[in-house]
Amino acid sequence: MYAFDFERPSTLDEAVAALGAEGAQALAGGQTLIPTLKQRLAMPETLVSLTGLAELKGISASGGVLTVGAASTHAEVARQTDHPGLAGLAGGIGDPHVRNRGTIGGSVANNDPSACYPAAVLGSGAMVVTNAREIAADDYFTGLFETALEEGEIITALRFPIPEKSAYVKFEQPASRFALVGVFVSKSEGGVRVAVTGASEEGVFRWSEAEAALASDFSPAALDGLSASAENLIGDIHGSPAYRAHLIGVLTKRAVAAAA
Amino acid sequence: MAQVSMTVNGTPVSGEVEGRTLLSTFLRDTLELTGTHVGCDTGQCGACTIHVNGASVKSCNMFALEADGAAVTTIEGMANADGSLGTIQQAFQDHHGLQCGFCTPGMVMTAAALLEENPKPTEAEIRSYLSGNLCRCTGYHNIVKAILAASGQEVAKEFAA
Ligand SMILES: Cc1cc2nc3c(=O)[nH]c(=O)nc-3n(C[C@H](O)[C@H](O)[C@H](O)COP(=O)(O)OP(=O)(O)OC[C@H]3O[C@@H](n4cnc5c(N)ncnc54)[C@H](O)[C@@H]3O)c2cc1C
Ligand code: FES
Ligand code: FES
């Protein structure tokens, strides 16, 4: 790991100012960033720790919306009971130790194509709240490790409309336990959403054919005969594009069954 | 360099660290508490597991400065006051829950976190809680037995080994 300066601001304003400096990068739980630094894949001049910011903490539900502070750990999100689909997803990330440090803000900012949270954010139609604005999930995820965030912009919270029903099912990559493919489904007044992670060369995406089929009949049987396209899907030693396409169909059915 | 202070196994400590100093490095090199093992140094194996403010974390995947002001517990804090083995440690010895012993500090710290959260876990809950701790020797069965025993539960004879 290269050397860097370490800053520990105590307010959001101080953090925004510190991140405005050349070569500054935010540090949340470090569960992605520290391994990246060790591999020298990132070499910030300054790390700005977000752990001291009260503005990023706390989970609360009101008016059918669950607001999750960006610094909430996966373990904290797993313990909340207002949004069981989201709790189930958070409780399945990594292992207990990773869940005690890793944060929802860090995961959503990183947008790893195999990460779990992006599926919940897109699959619930959540809002990404930053120090500067609010970004709808449909506009937020722009590609592999790419998001609509500007340089130095800090995610402060995620706002999830609480669905009537939702569930996340992942097929684990056996070594890393990230999603080889993961599917988040939700049903709410606004309609049905199906978001797929782990599968596409372009990152998390909505499977619109499945959403249309489930809109009138939210049951696994509604998906009979429907198959996802293998075009642009990831092919690696763990699975071919065709295998991942097959998994998308199977996991979507399982997620609908789990949510129903 | 910056000053960092924390409580480790009940004793207040402080030292000079760099921004990039890992908590595992601070414990092992500065405090010379070498019971915390570093296996992979990539956040995968769990050998470096300790507790920070009561929560289990991989100390190779956290900076020392992030533990400023925290209460830290390491494997050195798990023995009884008279130096005899603590309940979980004794159960690992009784049930042969270790061979080379490299993973053991992390396994014991993970078991302690599990039993704090869930005092009577099932076998399946134990196995799932150990998902971030790798053991190259035992095949896990005796570790699971040891944790069941430490929780005061009967360890079935027919338990597959
Ligand atoms: C062994 C292991 C297993 C794992 N398994 C899974 C898994 O199954 N599924 C899964 O989804 N993930 C998994 N992860 C990744 C884990 O969920 C990480 O916690 C998460 O990806 C990053 O969150 P963090 O808080 O640790 O962020 P950090 O590592 O601190 O930061 C990640 C990136 O986000 C930026 N950032 C952090 N917070 C903010 C913010 N509030 N605003 C703007 N930018 C920010 C940082 O600058 C950095 O670029 C695993 C990790 C490990 C080590
Ligand atoms: S040494 Fe920390 S997880 Fe392996
Ligand atoms: S006893 Fe050797 S690695 Fe577990």
Side-chain angles (χ1 to χ4, degrees):
Chain A
M1 208 177 332
Y2 293 109
F4 46 79
D5 292 329
F6 199 88
E7 291 197 24
R8 287 178 284 171
S10 51
T11 68
L12 182 58
D13 286 345
E14 283 170 26
V16 170
L19 283 172
E22 184 76 23
Q25 185 171 3
L27 170 73
Q31 300 304 291
T32 294
L33 187 51
I34 296 175
T36 310
L37 291 169
K38 287 178 179 175
Q39 291 178 66
R40 297 188 166 182
L41 294 173
M43 41 189 101
E45 279 166 42
T46 308
L47 275 196
V48 179
S49 167
L50 304 180
T51 14
L53 310 184
E55 292 96 329
L56 269 54
K57 292 188 177 145
I59 302 178
S60 63
S62 89
V65 175
L66 184 75
T67 303
V68 182
S72 306
T73 62
H74 309 329
E76 287 163 350
V77 177
R79 282 195 289 267
Q80 59 76 33
T81 51
D82 293 296
H83 190 333
L86 186 66
L89 175 147
I93 294 177
D95 57 60
H97 324 308
V98 168
R99 295 197 287 273
N100 282 333
R101 293 291 304 161
T103 69
I104 189 168
S107 178
V108 173
N110 195 49
N111 192 19
D112 185 304
S114 301
C116 301
Y117 270 127
V121 173
L122 189 62
S124 334
M127 288 298 254
V128 180
V129 185
T130 76
N131 59 297
R133 58 193 166 136
E134 297 188 2
I135 311 167
D138 287 318
D139 304 323
Y140 176 82
F141 299 102
T142 54
L144 291 194
F145 299 102
E146 297 282 338
T147 69
L149 291 177
E150 301 284 347
E151 197 76 25
E153 192 170 359
I154 300 177
I155 302 177
T156 55
L158 282 302
R159 276 217 289 271
F160 294 89
I162 300 176
E164 280 164 43
K165 297 171 177 179
S166 68
Y168 175 71
V169 177
K170 74 169 158 175
F171 192 91
E172 292 182 2
Q173 199 263 62
S176 75
R177 293 183 303 282
F178 272 72
L180 187 60
V181 174
V183 178
F184 188 95
V185 299
S186 75
K187 177 182 188 301
S188 52
E189 245 172 53
V192 172
R193 280 180 173 247
V194 177
V196 181
T197 188
S200 168
E201 296 279 7
E202 279 143 39
V204 67
F205 69 96
R206 288 171 69 182
W207 185 18
S208 38
E209 289 87 355
E211 292 181 354
L214 292 166
S216 50
D217 173 16
F218 192 75
S219 75
L223 297 165
D224 284 345
L226 204 63
S227 53
S229 158
E231 210 178 310
N232 284 334
L233 295 195
I234 300 169
D236 57 20
I237 55 164
H238 305 292
S240 62
Y243 180 69
R244 281 186 164 84
H246 178 71
L247 276 183
I248 293 173
V250 172
L251 297 179
T252 305
K253 280 190 179 180
R254 287 187 191 167
V256 171
Chain B
M1 299 291 266
Q3 183 79 12
V4 67
S5 306
M6 63 190 86
T7 307
V8 177
N9 302 324
T11 307
V13 298
S14 58
E16 289 274 306
V17 295
E18 287 187 272
R20 62 179 166 177
T21 305
L22 297 166
L23 186 49
S24 52
T25 308
F26 180 69
L27 291 169
R28 290 178 52 85
D29 296 359
T30 307
L31 303 182
E32 297 183 350
L33 293 172
T34 53
T36 298
H37 289 171
V38 175
C40 65
D41 205 18
T42 62
Q44 305 288 327
C45 76
C48 65
T49 304
I50 60 164
H51 299 181
V52 175
N53 293 330
S56 63
V57 306
K58 291 171 171 171
S59 61
C60 79
N61 221 8
M62 178 169 178
F63 292 119
L65 283 172
E66 293 282 89
D68 196 29
V72 170
T73 310
T74 68
I75 188 68
E76 287 89 350
M78 297 304 285
N80 297 323
D82 65 0
S84 62
L85 295 181
T87 308
I88 297 172
Q89 293 173 313
Q90 188 61 52
F92 269 69
Q93 187 181 79
D94 294 345
H95 291 270
H96 218 73
L98 61 148
Q99 287 179 25
C100 78
F102 196 85
C103 69
T104 314
M107 290 291 179
V108 170
M109 298 313 290
T110 301
L114 167 64
L115 297 182
E116 186 64 39
E117 203 174 295
N118 180 358
K120 297 270 180 256
T122 63
E123 183 195 331
E125 285 169 342
I126 295 173
R127 288 186 187 277
S128 144
Y129 210 89
L130 292 178
S131 60
N133 293 76
L134 304 183
C135 175
R136 297 295 77 192
C137 303
T138 64
Y140 302 97
H141 290 308
N142 288 349
I143 293 174
V144 177
K145 281 186 189 175
I147 298 173
L148 271 175
S151 73
Q153 301 184 89
E154 198 74 19
V155 179
K157 278 237 175 56
E158 69 275 18
F159 191 101

